[in-house]
Amino acid sequence: MGYDKSIAAFKEAYEVIPGGVDSPVRAFSGVEGTPPFIDHGKGGYLYDIDGNRYIDFVQSWGPLIFGHCDSDIEAAVIEAAKKGLSFGAPTTVETELAKEIVDLFESIDKVRFVSSGTEAVMSAIRLARGVTGRDDIVKFTGCYHGHSDSLLVQAGSGAATFGNPSSPGVPADLTKHTLLATYNDIESVKQCFADSKEGVACVIIEPIAGNMGLVPAEESFLQELRELCDANGALLIFDEVMSGFRASLKGAQGITAVKPDMVTLGKVIGAGMPVGAFGASREIMSHLSPEGPVYQAGTLSGNPVAMAAGLTSLRKLKSNPSVYVDLGNKAKRLMEGFKSAADAVGVPMVTDVRGSMFGFFFSDKPVKNFADAMENDQKMFAKFHKGMLDRGVYLACSSFETGFISTATTDEMIDDAIKAAYETLGEVSK
Ligand code: HOZ
């Protein structure tokens, strides 16, 4: 495969955009080679400016559950755009999407839309602090909740990829209120509660972590977390920006019996347009301005074009929930194929699947937390990623991310990707 045009485009971008990218992970720093610059997508495929075609297992990092250029979503977006791109005033489509979300999640009576997952989580944390009158929050190392100040502490995703899980520019006065616990380790959470001088406002968790690779929380751990929050008057926030509508129609909440107090959403509810949301009980949400004193706002919040895309995507999913069986089967078959390819050449690999989300680590032991994830063979991952790309398979460019199947991912694409994994691992394990 030739990448000449992408290499030139990356160089040109580098002159005017920091690192040549608008979001760090995209720079391919954790793997070999330079990022292909994308020309267009169609169904389960991506096409770059050199004319290369890739099976897309990133799907814009999750939002495109129906693949690229789904005709229904495209039509809804065009229809909405013809009426105007933004009004900064209420529209009925916001209420329609809100109703669909409220109808799905037991823990949500009211929901507010914002423009990104980062904004959703940042706002949810403020609300939790406002409701409880406490400043401290508990987060888990390796979980990534966007890049707002309070949460950019020992974070996963790009922060882990670049080896800077915390960031300069974030005041220590603020991060002293972020207490760190270990994923799947309830004793570490108890310690945070014990250490908190001012009281814990909330515990925030990705119930299916997708930003340290795919690392699901154990059911017993989530249950104990719920009990601990109740016993201490802290709110439990499930960050389902990634797992929402991906792990199941109800995200992690369709899998676990544990109910959070607040939920953050994003990605799929925008179907590729910029949308985030946070929701909770009527009582909690009543603290939010203009009903209550906790302030939060946005000119483009509830943008009508983005709402139309999300509403169409969500209604398609709700009217055909069996898609999750097919998505899950494809994800499982892909991971079994990768694992067999690794076994065939004696390369250690562990895999996991939750609905349409999949993950693999070059590791010989189960990965239950960030420390385990950090032990995976990242050099092997980098070589594997490059070999797969050269064979037309587009995987997330860091071992601290998750892969996604879309309804446009065909059985033939899964077969092709498995074949590529056999060839690549045969080559890189020598
Ligand atoms: N933080 C995103 C993945 N977990 C990456 C976003 C992007 O680079 O587009």
Side-chain angles (χ1 to χ4, degrees), residues 21-27 58 60-62 118 144 146 156-159 206 210-212 242 267 396-397 400-402 404:
V21 289
D22 283 315
S23 188
V25 190
R26 300 178 195 174
V58 178
S60 187
W61 307 93
T118 290
Y144 179 76
S157 189
E206 295 179 79
N211 288 291
M212 50 173 139
M242 196 179 266
K267 299 194 189 271
C397 52
F400 303 112
E401 298 289 349
T402 291
F404 298 99

Side-chain angles (χ1 to χ4, degrees), residues 191-249:
Q191 191 58 52
C192 289
F193 276 97
D195 290 346
S196 172
K197 292 183 185 68
E198 306 173 19
V200 172
C202 63
V203 175
I204 183 161
I205 186 167
E206 295 179 79
I208 297 173
N211 288 291
M212 50 173 139
L214 180 66
V215 184
E218 287 158 4
E219 180 66 12
S220 57
F221 172 68
L222 290 177
Q223 270 164 14
E224 286 175 302
L225 211 50
R226 178 69 275 178
E227 285 160 22
L228 207 51
C229 284
D230 289 343
N232 288 278
L235 300 177
L236 177 60
I237 305 178
F238 275 7
D239 180 353
E240 296 231 54
V241 168
M242 196 179 266
S243 55
F245 315 98
R246 271 287 178 187
S248 79
L249 182 59

Side-chain angles (χ1 to χ4, degrees), residues 73-232:
I73 295 168
E74 209 172 72
V77 166
I78 292 168
E79 194 60 27
K82 280 185 188 161
K83 291 186 180 176
L85 295 182
S86 177
F87 310 115
T91 58
T92 54
V93 65
E94 295 162 71
T95 314
E96 285 182 70
L97 184 54
K99 278 184 181 170
E100 295 289 353
I101 291 171
V102 167
D103 171 60
L104 262 185
F105 295 96
E106 226 178 281
S107 41
I108 301 182
D109 293 332
K110 286 193 175 188
V111 60
R112 176 160 285 175
F113 294 110
V114 292
S115 299
S116 70
T118 290
E119 217 186 317
V121 180
M122 179 185 83
S123 308
I125 294 286
R126 182 178 305 145
L127 183 55
R129 284 173 163 155
V131 168
T132 58
R134 301 171 178 179
D135 287 342
D136 287 353
I137 63 171
V138 175
K139 88 170 273 289
F140 295 88
T141 54
C143 279
Y144 179 76
H145 306 286
H147 62 91
S148 68
D149 285 351
S150 290
L151 294 160
L152 207 52
V153 186
Q154 292 294 316
S157 189
T161 307
F162 291 89
N164 299 316
S166 305
S167 172
V170 177
D173 272 352
L174 202 57
T175 56
K176 73 179 184 200
H177 293 295
T178 303
L179 308 175
L180 292 166
T182 303
Y183 203 73
N184 278 321
D185 175 358
I186 200 66
E187 292 308 316
S188 71
V189 188
K190 286 183 185 162
Q191 191 58 52
C192 289
F193 276 97
D195 290 346
S196 172
K197 292 183 185 68
E198 306 173 19
V200 172
C202 63
V203 175
I204 183 161
I205 186 167
E206 295 179 79
I208 297 173
N211 288 291
M212 50 173 139
L214 180 66
V215 184
E218 287 158 4
E219 180 66 12
S220 57
F221 172 68
L222 290 177
Q223 270 164 14
E224 286 175 302
L225 211 50
R226 178 69 275 178
E227 285 160 22
L228 207 51
C229 284
D230 289 343
N232 288 278

Side-chain angles (χ1 to χ4, degrees), residues 55-59 334 358 393-395 403-405 409 414 417:
I55 303 166
D56 184 6
F57 288 116
V58 178
Q59 296 291 339
L334 183 70
F358 68 84
V393 181
Y394 191 82
L395 294 167
F404 298 99
I405 304 285
T409 310
I414 301 288

Side-chain angles (χ1 to χ4, degrees), residues 148-370:
S148 68
D149 285 351
S150 290
L151 294 160
L152 207 52
V153 186
Q154 292 294 316
S157 189
T161 307
F162 291 89
N164 299 316
S166 305
S167 172
V170 177
D173 272 352
L174 202 57
T175 56
K176 73 179 184 200
H177 293 295
T178 303
L179 308 175
L180 292 166
T182 303
Y183 203 73
N184 278 321
D185 175 358
I186 200 66
E187 292 308 316
S188 71
V189 188
K190 286 183 185 162
Q191 191 58 52
C192 289
F193 276 97
D195 290 346
S196 172
K197 292 183 185 68
E198 306 173 19
V200 172
C202 63
V203 175
I204 183 161
I205 186 167
E206 295 179 79
I208 297 173
N211 288 291
M212 50 173 139
L214 180 66
V215 184
E218 287 158 4
E219 180 66 12
S220 57
F221 172 68
L222 290 177
Q223 270 164 14
E224 286 175 302
L225 211 50
R226 178 69 275 178
E227 285 160 22
L228 207 51
C229 284
D230 289 343
N232 288 278
L235 300 177
L236 177 60
I237 305 178
F238 275 7
D239 180 353
E240 296 231 54
V241 168
M242 196 179 266
S243 55
F245 315 98
R246 271 287 178 187
S248 79
L249 182 59
K250 298 182 185 190
Q253 291 165 83
I255 297 173
T256 170
V258 176
K259 298 285 165 255
D261 298 300
M262 297 176 79
V263 181
T264 58
L265 298 166
K267 299 194 189 271
V268 170
I269 52 163
M273 299 291 288
V275 179
F278 60 105
S281 66
R282 202 169 290 277
E283 203 286 311
I284 290 176
M285 294 304 273
S286 72
H287 291 255
L288 202 59
S289 184
E291 279 184 48
V294 178
Y295 200 73
Q296 181 279 331
T299 299
L300 295 175
S301 294
N303 173 271
V305 183
M307 293 287 103
L311 183 63
T312 308
S313 173
L314 205 49
R315 284 191 174 154
K316 267 171 82 99
L317 287 170
K318 281 177 103 172
S319 64
N320 193 9
S322 64
V323 293
Y324 288 95
V325 177
D326 186 51
L327 291 167
N329 286 339
K330 287 195 174 116
K332 274 185 213 140
R333 203 158 70 75
L334 183 70
M335 285 301 90
E336 281 161 13
F338 278 19
K339 171 82 176 119
S340 304
D343 286 349
V345 289
V347 170
M349 181 186 277
V350 290
T351 66
D352 218 327
V353 167
R354 286 296 180 279
S356 62
M357 304 166 78
F358 68 84
F360 60 94
F361 289 103
F362 288 104
S363 176
D364 55 8
K365 63 172 197 186
V367 174
K368 290 185 179 296
N369 56 41
F370 191 39

